[in-house]
Amino acid sequence: LKRCFPDFSTKNGVLTVANQTTFKDGRGKTRNVTDLREAANGINNVLDARSVGMKIFEDYAISWYWILIGLFIAMIVSLLFLVLLRFTAGVLFWIFIFGVIGIIAYGIWHCYWEYDHLKGIPGSDLTVYDIGFQTDFRVYLQLRQTWLAFMIILCVVEIIIILMLIFLRNRIRIAIALLKEGSRAIGYIMSTLFYPIVTFILIAICISYWAVTAVFLATSGEPVYKVMANQTLCKYANLTCDPETFNTTNVTKLCPGAQCTFAFYGGESLYHKYIFIFQLANAFVFLWLVNFAIALGQCTLAGAFASYYWASRKPADIPLWPLFSSFGRAIRYHTGSLAFGALILAIVQLIRVILEYLDHKLKGTQNSFTRFLLCCLKCCFWCLEKFLKFINRNAYIMIAIYGKNFCTSAKEAFFLLMRNVVRVAVLDKVTDFLLFLGKILVAGGVGVLAFFFFTQRIPVFAQEAPTLNYYWVPLLTVIIGSYLVAHGFFSVYAMCVDTLFLCFCEDLERNDGSTAKPYFMSASLHRILGKKELSPKKA
């Protein structure tokens, strides 16, 4: 850095530099050696951080090849998990459900054992009201009333879960069958698993466009200098000035002590006054484009999976290139509908950004009502954004199926889901559980393998593993990267399940299983619903 650093030493218990304890800074102000030490420590922290950053960069330079191998393994494991879901979806779900029931049953037994064990112990029959509020939670565990309350709560939860399984068992079977059907659809249309790469590229282009535009807007100006002087005595105070010619003007004579100092970077034209509005417009365009890229991906995937469901004979009647055909239809016929849906969502997101900005600016204020109002608005618009994302997602599916405009598709999708609201809730929870379990299994499994590899715990890998400064650098990269890879694959699967579900609901309402209006659903869904047998052509 071409700077000298002080050499601190202690003399007779006093901190000194070159046998001195006081110094003068660049402004002639006397400083203590302690101030110098604090400044030097800050600089040393920066240099230490730079050193750590260099070591991390070295670790990436050495281990990038193994990181890519770990991410490739995560991709293979994610693919296998999705393909095998057609065989394991029901097993995994019921193992989890019965595991939860068993754990709650053990909790009930343990609460009863503690309740019975405390019988006769002095003080255990007191109530929570008698002892009042206690910061030590262990005090409450010495009361029989506490364990009785725990036992009652667990019993209620256990009964609710069992009753839900009894009354919703058929809908759970439908949800599991749809999950298996989704795995089968992905097996026939494997190209859909790699479509998130296209979405990633489009979003990366949007981010690059926004960042470059924001930088150009922020730097579109020149340094502005203003006269700094006593405003009551100098009429030139706060006026713009030129630092190169300031000393030759009459300002220094009329206003003794006045200085021409830097004020801000920009300008005072009409354009520079509204630069913040341009930044907001740039942010709005960014949100609109990102939402459009996501909408394009959802509509494309929905069209591909819908072509699978509505094929009379699977896979013979599936189009040759379903993903590319769906992408072409979305670009040619549905661009306006996708842009309109993205526009509505972008407006709500921009309002949320403005609310966050206002909250940041007003954080230091003491007005409780203002903070409460902002909190309510943020909560409401967060809920509205979640609702719009749900509506848009299903509207894009209906657009891909029927080719209608956005408003009509959103209305039809909403009422179709409301007519099947229980099935929606069950399918959503079952899907979320299985996909979350899959992400944890993929990221955890690949992470454990990477841990044993990079820490050289396995003798077979000891010679192949690179020597690193921080083994956690590639390890965390592999774990986070594996989770993102699994998320990309499973997002396609979730879109597949949602599309098949809407097609399934439409199939039930449009057709009756007769020869004139046969069902397009799979044989497993046919059996669960107890409908008429499939025709020989469809079977």
Side-chain angles (χ1 to χ4, degrees), residues 141 361 470:
L141 299 180
K361 287 294 184 181
Y470 309 109

Side-chain angles (χ1 to χ4, degrees), residues 58-277:
E58 291 174 0
D59 289 342
Y60 277 123
I62 295 172
S63 61
W64 67 270
Y65 179 77
W66 300 105
I67 292 174
L68 291 180
I69 292 177
L71 297 180
F72 179 77
I73 294 174
M75 184 182 70
I76 297 299
V77 174
S78 300
L79 180 60
L80 289 176
F81 183 84
L82 291 180
V83 173
L84 293 176
L85 268 181
R86 71 177 72 176
F87 309 108
T88 60
V91 175
L92 290 175
F93 177 77
W94 290 116
I95 288 176
F96 173 78
I97 289 297
F98 287 117
V100 170
I101 292 175
I103 292 173
I104 295 177
Y106 171 78
I108 294 172
W109 174 83
H110 182 77
C111 291
Y112 175 77
W113 183 85
E114 290 284 354
Y115 176 79
D116 186 68
H117 180 71
L118 291 174
K119 186 177 181 180
I121 297 178
S124 63
D125 290 326
L126 295 174
T127 63
V128 176
Y129 179 78
D130 293 333
I131 64 173
F133 176 76
Q134 300 290 331
T135 56
D136 189 0
F137 185 74
R138 290 175 296 181
V139 175
Y140 297 104
L141 299 180
Q142 306 301 321
L143 304 178
R144 299 185 71 201
Q145 188 186 60
T146 303
W147 292 105
L148 179 62
F150 286 162
M151 183 172 64
I152 294 174
I153 293 172
L154 291 177
C155 287
V156 171
V157 173
E158 185 87 332
I159 292 172
I160 291 174
I161 293 176
I162 293 174
L163 290 177
M164 288 178 63
L165 291 177
I166 293 174
F167 291 105
L168 300 177
R169 64 187 185 278
N170 201 42
R171 289 179 172 84
I172 293 174
R173 291 174 61 200
I174 293 174
I176 294 174
L178 284 171
L179 291 173
K180 294 179 179 179
E181 192 69 17
S183 176
R184 190 175 294 108
I186 286 179
Y188 288 131
I189 315 176
M190 294 288 289
S191 57
T192 55
L193 291 174
F194 300 96
Y195 186 84
I197 298 175
V198 178
T199 303
F200 173 79
I201 293 173
L202 293 177
I203 292 178
I205 293 173
C206 296
I207 294 174
S208 302
Y209 166 78
W210 167 78
V212 171
T213 306
V215 170
F216 272 105
L217 287 173
T219 58
S220 59
E222 297 177 353
V224 177
Y225 296 85
K226 291 194 174 185
V227 178
M228 300 297 294
N230 192 330
Q231 297 183 2
T232 58
L233 301 177
C234 181
K235 64 179 181 179
Y236 297 101
N238 293 327
L239 296 180
T240 57
C241 58
D242 186 355
E244 296 182 357
T245 61
F246 181 73
N247 292 328
T248 61
T249 61
N250 294 329
V251 177
T252 55
K253 298 178 181 179
L254 298 175
C255 304
Q259 294 180 346
C260 184
T261 59
F262 173 77
F264 54 87
Y265 193 80
E268 295 184 332
S269 64
L270 185 65
Y271 164 77
H272 290 98
K273 290 181 179 179
Y274 293 98
I275 195 73
F276 180 73
I277 303 299

Side-chain angles (χ1 to χ4, degrees), residues 321-332:
W321 302 102
L323 182 65
F324 295 108
S325 300
S326 178
F327 182 79
R329 289 194 302 271
I331 291 293
R332 183 176 180 182

